[in-house]
Amino acid sequence: MNNEHEPGFPRSAAEAEQFLDELAFDDTVQVPPLPPATDEIERGMVTTSLKLPQDMRDRIREAAAAHCITPSMLIRQYIELGLSSEQPERMIPLSDAIRVLSSLRPTA
């Protein structure tokens, strides 16, 4: 993305320095909470065993690694997506829709 012609973007080192010098920092603003860590998400979960073909397990691991989540989290997300499709009247958050749509593989 080339921003050099867009208004509001510095076009030189001097403009960038001026922009940074004009920034104001407010230490009184409350920092938003961090998303829960993996161990916090996993707490309260129950273990369910299932059998998968080895190639599917490998694909799950690769997909999870690509999204920087655990295979368990990926499987849960896919199960939630499948269960949600059984309830067409249920609305989902836009962020979930974007995440799912962006993870789809392109078709030929």
Side-chain angles (χ1 to χ4, degrees), residues 57-98:
R57 184 204 59 191
D58 295 342
R59 288 174 52 209
I60 290 169
R61 287 179 175 176
E62 289 171 11
H67 293 285
C68 299
I69 59 175
T70 66
S72 291
M73 291 171 141
L74 182 75
I75 291 168
R76 272 196 305 273
Q77 289 176 0
Y78 286 162
I79 290 172
E80 287 175 12
L81 179 63
L83 292 173
S84 294
S85 70
E86 299 289 326
Q87 302 171 330
E89 72 283 353
R90 182 178 169 250
M91 296 188 63
I92 63 170
L94 178 59
S95 60
D96 288 349
I98 292 170

Side-chain angles (χ1 to χ4, degrees), residues 42-70:
E42 296 293 327
R43 202 174 302 132
M45 298 286 174
V46 295
T47 300
T48 300
S49 177
L50 70 139
K51 294 183 180 186
L52 302 170
Q54 185 171 349
D55 63 323
M56 183 183 292
R57 184 204 59 191
D58 295 342
R59 288 174 52 209
I60 290 169
R61 287 179 175 176
E62 289 171 11
H67 293 285
C68 299
I69 59 175
T70 66

